[in-house]
Amino acid sequence: MQQPRAIGFVFLGIAGVFMMVLATAPQANAAWGSGGSGTSGGGGYYTTNGFGWKKFNKYGGGPDGGFRDGTPWWSVQAACAEYSGDSVWVHVVRNSSGSEKSFNYSGAWYDRNRPTSGADPYVYNAAGNYQYQGAAYQQHVINIVSQVKSAFMLEHSAYEGHWGVDVAWFCDGPKTTEWTINGQSYIQNGRTANKSLARQGTITATPGDRLNWYHDMRNNGPDNMDRNIYFNVDKTGFSNGWNSQNAPNGWASGGAGSLFVYEYAQFPGNPGRSASPYTLYDVTQNDVGNTLCQRIAWNPGSWNNGSWFASGWACANIPYNYSLVPNVTSPAGGGNAESDQGTIAVSGTITNNGPTKSRTNIDWQLTQIEYPASVGIPNQSGGTGATACAFFTGEASCNVLSSGTESGGFGYPNTRTYTGTGDLSNKALGTQVCFVLSVRNYQEGTSNWRHSAVSCIIINKKPKVQVLGGDLWVGRGATSATARVATSRTQSNGTYYGSWSEYGIVTPT
């Protein structure tokens, strides 16, 4: 008599497709009940007490009577671990105490009639509900194993004639296809896209540069992918609306080890291919102060993880890089003025020499500084440091004529004009009256002031006439009737200066 064998295989539903797990060693000396009474294989296990296919949770316990051939339950659990279902179907026979032991199902050795009520044969479908009995039950199992054999060409032994009947247990669910995805993002700065020059992480760029991104995804295996995954390209830092765009995107899958998604600014293997959308970008002044980033993201991340995964960000930092230069344009330095002139218009410019726009909230001041006659003026070429009144030392007085804040900063290129009103009244002769234009936060990374060169004028008086021991006559004869004496008075430091004659100043009458 041929001895029944135990063959483990996967069951994907009652009427579905099945996949082999493993073939176990044949059970030795298996004894089966037959006819109405049945016989026992040891321990009082008789088919008349009940027999059938029972579904066990692979994370729980197996049949309390074990397996006829001594197979440990943990080995069955291990064999089914890589299969997606949670169940193991086991063919069991009961004893009189209700314990169950696994025996090979062999249709030729079983009573084809369903046991009496109360001796439930444990015949269940995939949902765990009673389904088959008797001859129909036997044929059901034969069909299962026959489908496995025809579909997958299982290993077989000399007992090939018993395919479909010599089965002890099988796993519920298809074998898991294992794979993980590795996504990468790269960036390159260059007017010509070249992937070989791209790198991961963060680079630096300036307005006018062109940025090129490269994104790809690889199946690290070990198996081919059994489904498509969704991918898109995330973006951040852009001021042109790109942040809300997740293209390129789509669904894709690939074989083990294959690079199955590549969204590039340039394709090394196909130079004529157009760049993927959103992979080329020209940096503008609007990007200054931002970090422009892209990365590829995908879901699911692997065969057993349905979460979102993403590559590292590939970024370009666009730093501020500017130089604000102040200059006094009026009055021109080296001139003279009378103290009774009163006021004087003062103006200057601040120019952003770039190459980027400035930060916001740039402070400026137009300052008047006075020095006594013949005193040397320190730092007269300008410089950087504290406020003008603290930077230019040795002064007799210092006053801010006008000031303000450029809340929006300076664009590039950009020059702006600033004005104020200087005071020349009641100044001592020879006083040096100087003007300086200053700007704070004049470049990135500093909060100091930058001061222009000083523009100075010297307080003086206009030439006056003075006649001693005689008269001053203006004009001769009738033709000089329009002649006149025009004179003035200069006040300086409390003293008045003017023209005079000891006896008279005469014009024609």
Side-chain angles (χ1 to χ4, degrees):
M1 177 183 298
Q2 294 178 342
Q3 300 299 323
R5 297 177 296 115
I7 301 177
F9 66 99
V10 177
F11 172 48
L12 180 64
I14 292 303
V17 178
F18 309 91
M19 185 179 301
M20 175 184 178
V21 178
L22 76 165
T24 65
Q27 292 181 349
N29 303 317
W32 304 95
S34 62
S37 60
T39 60
S40 171
Y45 291 94
Y46 293 94
T47 57
T48 53
N49 293 326
F51 66 95
W53 289 95
K54 184 174 182 179
K55 184 165 67 173
F56 293 84
N57 188 301
K58 69 181 180 182
Y59 301 109
D64 55 1
F67 290 79
R68 179 65 179 85
D69 66 351
T71 298
W73 174 243
W74 60 262
S75 69
V76 176
Q77 292 175 303
C80 294
E82 59 179 329
Y83 293 80
S84 62
D86 291 340
S87 302
V88 180
W89 289 81
V90 182
H91 186 262
V92 296
V93 177
R94 275 183 174 175
N95 65 13
S96 59
S97 299
S99 292
E100 298 162 343
K101 177 178 286 191
S102 173
F103 290 85
N104 278 26
Y105 172 77
S106 183
W109 297 93
Y110 284 91
D111 190 333
R112 292 178 177 236
N113 298 315
R114 182 174 184 239
T116 59
S117 177
D120 188 353
Y122 287 84
V123 184
Y124 295 88
N125 60 16
N129 301 316
Y130 172 80
Q131 185 170 5
Y132 297 102
Q133 66 178 13
Y137 163 58
Q138 177 188 11
Q139 188 60 50
H140 165 62
V141 179
I142 293 174
N143 291 342
I144 290 177
V145 186
S146 296
Q147 290 178 38
V148 173
K149 178 185 176 184
S150 62
F152 298 99
M153 296 301 294
L154 296 180
E155 296 178 16
H156 60 277
S157 66
Y159 302 107
E160 183 170 356
H162 288 268
W163 275 112
V165 293
D166 290 340
V167 180
W169 57 270
F170 54 87
C171 304
D172 181 7
K175 181 178 180 180
T176 303
T177 300
E178 298 183 9
W179 46 264
T180 58
I181 302 303
N182 176 32
Q184 301 293 335
S185 296
Y186 309 83
I187 188 170
Q188 172 222 348
N189 185 347
R191 299 305 299 178
T192 301
N194 186 341
K195 186 178 183 298
S196 65
L197 301 179
R199 52 162 289 183
Q200 295 174 301
T202 302
I203 64 174
T204 299
T206 194
D209 289 346
R210 172 165 290 179
L211 301 177
N212 309 279
W213 276 275
Y214 307 86
H215 310 282
D216 55 43
M217 292 169 52
R218 184 181 301 275
N219 174 12
N220 284 344
D223 298 322
N224 296 336
M225 297 171 65
D226 59 351
R227 77 199 85 159
N228 286 334
I229 66 172
Y230 180 78
F231 70 91
N232 63 245
V233 175
D234 299 328
K235 305 171 190 69
T236 184
F238 293 89
S239 58
N240 65 344
W242 278 23
N243 290 348
S244 62
Q245 302 297 320
N246 66 359
N249 54 36
W251 295 85
S253 64
S258 68
L259 193 71
F260 65 96
V261 169
Y262 37 92
E263 300 292 350
Y264 292 165
Q266 177 262 343
F267 296 87
N270 188 0
R273 180 175 173 179
S274 298
S276 299
Y278 300 98
T279 58
L280 297 175
Y281 184 76
D282 292 330
V283 181
T284 71
Q285 290 290 338
N286 291 333
D287 300 312
V288 174
N290 295 338
T291 300
L292 312 180
C293 298
Q294 293 190 10
R295 70 178 182 184
I296 192 167
W298 60 93
N299 178 276
S302 64
W303 62 278
N304 62 347
N305 192 327
S307 301
W308 276 95
F309 284 70
S311 68
W313 289 103
C315 302
N317 179 33
I318 320 298
Y320 285 96
N321 181 16
Y322 59 93
S323 178
L324 302 179
V325 180
N327 180 47
V328 175
T329 56
S330 180
N336 297 280
E338 285 194 293
S339 64
D340 63 348
Q341 180 175 326
T343 61
I344 185 172
V346 183
S347 63
T349 61
I350 297 176
T351 299
N352 180 10
N353 287 340
T356 76
K357 68 180 181 180
S358 75
R359 286 194 178 271
T360 57
N361 299 317
I362 302 297
D363 298 327
W364 62 270
Q365 287 184 346
L366 189 57
T367 305
Q368 177 176 320
I369 308 172
E370 298 176 14
Y371 293 90
S374 302
V375 171
I377 302 174
N379 300 323
Q380 60 181 336
S381 296
T384 61
T387 62
C389 291
F391 181 78
F392 295 95
T393 58
E395 76 280 7
S397 65
C398 182
N399 297 287
V400 176
L401 303 181
S402 58
S403 64
T405 299
E406 295 290 357
S407 59
F410 287 75
Y412 175 76
N414 189 214
T415 296
R416 298 182 187 177
T417 300
Y418 301 91
T419 61
T421 301
D423 179 17
L424 303 182
S425 62
N426 200 27
K427 306 298 181 186
L429 295 179
T431 299
Q432 303 172 88
V433 180
C434 303
F435 303 97
V436 62
L437 181 60
S438 309
V439 59
R440 186 165 64 175
N441 301 324
Y442 62 91
Q443 69 182 24
E444 179 66 5
T446 181
S447 59
N448 286 341
W449 290 85
R450 171 177 279 174
H451 308 290
S452 69
V454 296
S455 178
C456 301
I457 58 176
I458 299 175
I459 298 299
N460 210 329
K461 62 188 178 95
K462 290 181 180 179
K464 304 294 190 294
V465 65
Q466 191 176 67
V467 180
L468 300 175
D471 298 323
L472 174 63
W473 290 76
V474 181
R476 287 282 183 180
T479 59
S480 301
T482 59
R484 64 189 182 91
V485 174
T487 186
S488 63
R489 183 181 67 175
T490 298
Q491 179 186 9
S492 177
N493 200 26
T495 302
Y496 293 92
Y497 301 87
S499 298
W500 65 283
S501 172
E502 186 174 359
Y503 297 107
I505 299 176
V506 181
T507 62
T509 58

